[in-house]
Amino acid sequence: MGYHETIGDEAAKMLAFVESGTTDSASAPMEVPATAYTDTDYFEREMETIFLRLPLLAALTAEMPDPGDFKAMELMGKPVLITRRTDGSVAAMLNVCTHRGMILQPEGHGNKKRFSCPYHAWTFANDGNLIGVSEPGKFGPVCKEERNLATLPCIEAGGVIWVSLTHGADMDIAAHLGGMLDDLNEYDLANWHYCGSRRIYGANWKIAYDGYLEGYHFAAAHPETIHPRSFSNIMHFTAFGPHMRVGYPQVTIKEKLEAQPRERWGHIENSGYDFVRTIFPNVSIFFAPEITQVAQLIPGPTPDRNTTNLMFIRRTPPRDAEDAAGIEGMMDWLADVVDREDYGVGLKVQQGLASGALKSVLFGKNERGNQYFHKYVDWFVAGDTDAEPPVL
């Protein structure tokens, strides 16, 4: 079955849920210990078994499309520098000068053939090789090959630059993403335009992730923003390993689909239905008609906190100054909605759980995606490679 046929079938299932007043459901409610959101030891095991081992989205291809482009950032507390070499390939390394440990490049984007340390002016090529020691005659002999920047496993696929924070880690991105890579490739994201980013701060990373996985909260938490567009508490879930495509029917789904021949239903995303795509462990993507939002959740530094980078792309660059201003306004509006209506709620949830009032949180049958997500977190943390992974 082709991609658009699959999407069309998922749209048909969403329509059936709307017409029957039902939703995609698990077999029973499920409890998750409240300490999963608050316990320091559990948080540290999550970091070790998930975030330091799995491929992580570090950048979008659209952020750095040209040779010489770079992005300097902090990822899981580590300073990371990603570059595009002159041959168009990408490299990732720790953003740390190998002389005395100075951060080599401040956070941000740019284009450089080489990087000079602001402390003692040691110079590195954009592939991480040390090419210059300032005043070498006075400094003494240096084996440059032993002082190249520390590299990280890195691969580009699906319009995304993926990095592992563990040296020598497996970077079989096709195996990791499974069918989600086909989904990303369908959009040809590598050729989109990068619009900009916004940064917001929230509660435990799983509280933030939970919000992307269900529309049960739309009516209560988003009465004037999301709920006028989308039904509350009607969802459809498709899993690709730990990753998910979550379908949300719009209130216009019946009229939008019935206005199209059945074979066209899989070609009209955002017209009658929307999807949120989650890429485990920390990415959410929403393809909206006006602009696409990619949320990158960075846990920590403590269990009760996360930093989320909202990155925005669209198919085409701004047409003119008015269009560019409109893009800025849309990014501001989307970031404000997530910050105020989702992360604001999440911080209150974190406060409630920290009080000790609950021994566990309860996910209903309707919150099937959340149940699946938490089962996968526990499966990774357990580290039992012989145990079968969860099934949706």
Side-chain angles (χ1 to χ4, degrees):
M1 181 181 292
Y3 175 80
H4 292 292
E5 291 176 283
T6 299
I7 296 298
D9 285 349
E10 293 178 17
K13 290 175 182 176
M14 284 186 263
L15 176 59
F17 288 144
V18 168
E19 292 180 328
S20 62
T22 58
T23 188
D24 201 346
S25 295
S27 59
M30 171 184 145
E31 292 185 65
V32 170
T35 52
Y37 298 96
T38 61
D39 183 72
T40 299
D41 289 340
Y42 190 78
F43 175 78
E44 290 177 353
R45 290 199 299 276
E46 290 174 336
M47 299 305 102
E48 173 61 31
T49 60
I50 298 174
F51 284 89
L52 294 182
R53 295 189 184 179
L54 295 182
L56 301 177
L57 181 154
L60 303 174
T61 296
E63 287 184 82
M64 37 184 300
D66 301 319
D69 284 351
F70 71 85
K71 178 181 181 180
M73 63 182 299
E74 185 174 294
L75 190 58
M76 304 304 304
K78 296 181 182 292
V80 174
L81 177 64
I82 308 160
T83 65
R84 190 171 296 281
R85 303 182 182 103
T86 54
D87 66 359
S89 64
V90 291
M93 55 214 81
L94 293 178
N95 184 23
V96 178
C97 178
T98 54
H99 170 214
R100 296 266 292 279
M102 176 65 180
I103 299 299
L104 185 61
Q105 175 66 41
E107 180 178 339
H109 300 78
N111 186 285
K112 288 184 177 182
K113 293 182 179 180
R114 57 189 60 190
F115 298 88
S116 181
C117 179
Y119 196 7
H120 296 96
W122 279 32
T123 304
F124 301 82
N126 79 343
D127 60 2
N129 289 335
L130 175 62
I131 57 176
V133 173
S134 58
E135 300 194 55
K138 292 181 180 178
F139 189 88
V142 174
C143 178
K144 291 182 179 179
E145 290 77 11
E146 294 179 357
R147 290 287 167 174
N148 295 332
L149 299 183
T151 59
L152 297 170
C154 178
I155 192 168
E156 189 168 23
V160 174
I161 298 168
W162 309 88
V163 169
S164 173
L165 297 176
T166 297
H167 297 284
D170 180 14
M171 287 296 283
D172 187 345
I173 200 65
H176 174 62
L177 293 177
M180 185 58 76
L181 182 56
D182 296 331
D183 199 299
L184 295 176
N185 283 335
E186 188 67 32
Y187 280 86
D188 191 28
L189 295 182
N191 293 310
W192 285 36
H193 173 74
Y194 177 67
C195 301
S197 66
R198 301 291 186 270
R199 180 168 291 170
I200 59 177
Y201 301 91
N204 177 275
W205 71 280
K206 297 189 299 297
I207 289 177
Y209 204 100
D210 278 333
Y212 294 108
L213 294 174
E214 49 87 0
Y216 187 29
H217 69 286
F218 285 177
H222 304 293
E224 297 178 358
T225 51
I226 297 176
H227 188 43
R229 173 190 177 93
S230 302
F231 284 99
S232 192
N233 202 23
I234 301 179
M235 297 80 70
H236 178 269
F237 303 98
T238 300
F240 309 96
H243 323 294
M244 275 182 277
R245 184 168 60 225
V246 186
Y248 296 102
Q250 298 173 7
V251 296
T252 59
I253 186 169
K254 184 175 177 63
E255 63 187 81
K256 294 290 188 180
L257 292 186
E258 290 182 350
Q260 297 282 342
R262 176 63 178 79
E263 61 269 20
R264 287 288 305 162
W265 286 11
H267 295 264
I268 58 170
E269 182 175 346
N270 301 133
S271 181
Y273 61 91
D274 299 298
F275 290 107
V276 168
R277 291 157 171 89
T278 59
I279 301 177
F280 192 89
N282 66 330
V283 174
S284 165
I285 303 176
F286 175 48
F287 291 98
E290 307 86 358
I291 199 169
T292 288
Q293 174 182 288
V294 181
Q296 176 200 42
L297 284 64
I298 310 297
T302 51
D304 59 335
R305 294 170 57 188
N306 93 82
T307 298
T308 295
N309 297 313
L310 300 175
M311 297 172 280
F312 298 94
I313 55 176
R314 75 173 198 174
R315 291 185 185 274
T316 57
R319 296 180 299 274
D320 49 35
E322 182 180 358
D323 190 27
I327 292 172
E328 290 294 322
M330 178 61 67
M331 291 191 292
D332 287 340
W333 183 82
L334 287 167
D336 181 64
V337 168
V338 176
D339 191 22
R340 177 169 38 88
E341 299 182 5
D342 288 302
Y343 279 42
V345 168
L347 288 167
K348 293 296 184 182
V349 170
Q350 189 75 53
Q351 183 180 359
L353 295 175
S355 74
L358 301 181
K359 295 296 183 184
S360 66
V361 299
L362 184 64
F363 291 103
K365 295 193 299 181
N366 57 326
E367 297 172 302
R368 186 183 185 192
N370 302 80
Q371 292 192 23
Y372 184 68
F373 163 63
H374 283 274
K375 288 176 182 177
Y376 245 110
V377 171
D378 288 341
W379 183 78
F380 275 108
V381 169
D384 184 358
T385 56
D386 294 327
E388 290 295 322
V391 177
L392 185 65

